[in-house]
């Protein structure tokens, strides 16, 4: 079932419940290592990146069980800080285990998490920040070895609001001796979720939701129950699916308050959007208008929704422009979309111009990464006739069941 078959040109109607957030669940699962007791993580998405993270936790001695409403993690018996190779190289988000394991085990050995198709994904900011906290990095058999006999607080300034580096400083900081002041911290809601989980466990963190965090280390942490917030990127994906395919939908539990820049862009494209208690209502225009999108760190337009917005714009009135400022190679789906009849011109590695066309023709496409793959499904929803998207394991890394969700909205989509 590595492909998805789509019958296009079916307007979306109805409602779909948005899953728990992948990028909140992963650092929270890593943080359970710091607790040394049992935590219950509710609304944890059943996606392959979470299953991979759970395998990593189990390989280090945690007892992890899935339940109907979430997952329990008992980290009483964490025994070692070596991460199995296959888990790290295949899943970059294992990097946030670095800070957690340093905090719990004082020593970690891991593969260098490589880059991926969207960019080189360097880790220099992680390493320099943790070095300031007393972590020593060496190379051991081609692997990265981190040791911290005296993990201590520090004053750390991030030149780029790196989400992962912010998470690693928080995870190490709650276990360090003394206080850590982190300035230039990422503001993404997933950082706030991680801090809220740690606070519920007894951590002392000030400035949550701002770019300056004060983390008072050395507190004993206790197990807790925590609910993972809804996934703003999945919600935004389905929002752009509706703009592309047309129709009117309710994205149940969508975190409208975290989607400001996205809702602004949707409004510019002619959508009527309304954030309510139950979620976000979206009504697509007959034809989307032109839009200028520039991805930025939160609260700007999220890079993870750039591909979905690109797909939804290919039949726009006039000419749209999308600028990608976060990753250096995130226009990977342009060739696939142009093969369907789109007219997208790459002005530079960071800027594309989309001249709206009347129609797209269905075709076979191949997903090469998570968010681009989801965007190809949106293109299939928009196209005349039948489309196939192969390489779907990329999509299943972040979407519990994209076929089920779009079918809930009336789309003719099936895994094959
Ligand atoms: C997180 O990745 C997300 N992943 C990404 O989502 C998301 O695109 C990204 O943040 C930006 O919002 C998870 O949360 C698991 P960064 P992360 O460190 O932490 C540069 C998805 O589809 N940088 O904020 O790896 C980096 O090259 C994924 O769910 C350095 O230069 O992103 C990039 O240009 C894709 N040195 C920028 O910072 C470093 O040491 C932002 O990266 C670290 C990062």
């Amino acid at each position: 079932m590595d492909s998805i078959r789509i019958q296009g040109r079916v307007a979306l109607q109805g409602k779909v419940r948005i899953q728990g957030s992948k990028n909140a669940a992963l650092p929270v699962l890593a943080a359970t290592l710091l607790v040394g007791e049992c935590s219950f993580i509710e609304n944890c998405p059943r996606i392959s990146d979470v299953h991979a993270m759970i395998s990593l936790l189990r390989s280090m001695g945690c007892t992890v069980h899935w339940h109907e409403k979430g997952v329990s993690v008992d980290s009483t018996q964490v025994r070692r800080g070596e991460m199995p190779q296959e888990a790290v190289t295949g899943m970059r988000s294992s990097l946030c285990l670095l800070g957690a394991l340093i905090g719990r085990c004082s020593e970690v050995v891991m593969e260098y998490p490589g880059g991926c198709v969207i960019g080189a994904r360097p880790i220099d900011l992680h390493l320099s920040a943790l070095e300031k906290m007393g972590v020593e990095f060496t190379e051991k058999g081609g692997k990265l070895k981190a040791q911290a006999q005296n993990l201590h607080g520090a004053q750390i300034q991030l030149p780029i609001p790196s989400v992962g580096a912010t998470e690693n400083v928080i995870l190490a900081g709650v276990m360090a001796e003394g206080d850590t002041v982190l300035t230039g911290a990422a503001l993404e809601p997933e950082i706030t979720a991680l801090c809220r989980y740690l606070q519920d466990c007894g951590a002392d963190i000030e400035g949550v939701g701002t770019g300056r965090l004060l983390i008072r280390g050395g507190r004993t942490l206790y197990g807790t129950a925590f609910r993972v917030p809804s996934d703003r990127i999945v919600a935004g994906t389905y929002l752009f699916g509706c703009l592309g395919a047309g129709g009117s939908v309710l994205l149940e539990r969508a975190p409208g308050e975290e989607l400001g820049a996205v809702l602004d862009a949707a409004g510019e494209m002619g959508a009527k959007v309304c954030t309510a208690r139950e979620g976000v209502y979206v009504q697509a225009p007959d034809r989307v208008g032109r839009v200028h999108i520039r991805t930025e760190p939160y609260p700007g337009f999220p890079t993870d929704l750039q591909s979905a917005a690109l797909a939804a714009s290919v039949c726009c009135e006039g000419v749209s422009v999308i600028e990608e400022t976060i990753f250096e190679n995130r226009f990977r789906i342009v060739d696939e979309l142009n093969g369907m009849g789109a007219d997208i011109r790459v002005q530079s590695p960071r800027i594309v111009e989309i001249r709206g066309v009347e129609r797209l023709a269905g075709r076979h496409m191949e997903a090469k990464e998570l968010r681009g793959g989801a965007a190809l499904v949106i293109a299939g929803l928009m196209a005349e006739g039948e489309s196939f998207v192969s390489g779907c394991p990329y999509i299943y890394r972040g979407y519990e069941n994209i076929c089920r969700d779009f079918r809930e909205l009336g789309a003719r989509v099936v895994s094959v």
Side-chain angles (χ1 to χ4, degrees), residues 13-17 403-411:
Q13 300 292 337
K15 63 183 178 179
V16 64
R17 177 167 296 186
C403 291
R404 173 202 66 200
D405 290 347
F406 274 127
R407 272 203 303 277
E408 292 274 305
L409 297 174

Side-chain angles (χ1 to χ4, degrees), residues 133-153:
M133 301 176 75
V135 181
E136 289 175 37
F137 291 101
T138 54
E139 189 151 309
K140 174 187 175 189
K143 295 186 177 183
L144 177 66
K145 183 177 180 181
Q147 290 172 290
Q149 298 316 321
N150 168 29
L151 187 67
H152 57 74

Side-chain angles (χ1 to χ4, degrees), residues 22-23 26 92-93 118 120-126 160-165 167 188 232 303-304 325-328 330 370-371:
K22 165 176 93 77
N23 291 347
L26 291 170
R92 176 176 177 79
S93 41
I118 68 173
R121 312 296 293 275
I123 63 170
D124 55 311
L125 300 180
H126 298 247
I160 300 175
S162 159
V163 172
E167 290 167 348
E188 272 69 6
R232 62 189 173 100
T303 175
D304 291 349
T325 70
I326 307 294
F327 291 112
E328 64 269 27
R330 207 164 196 178
L370 166 55
R371 304 303 177 183

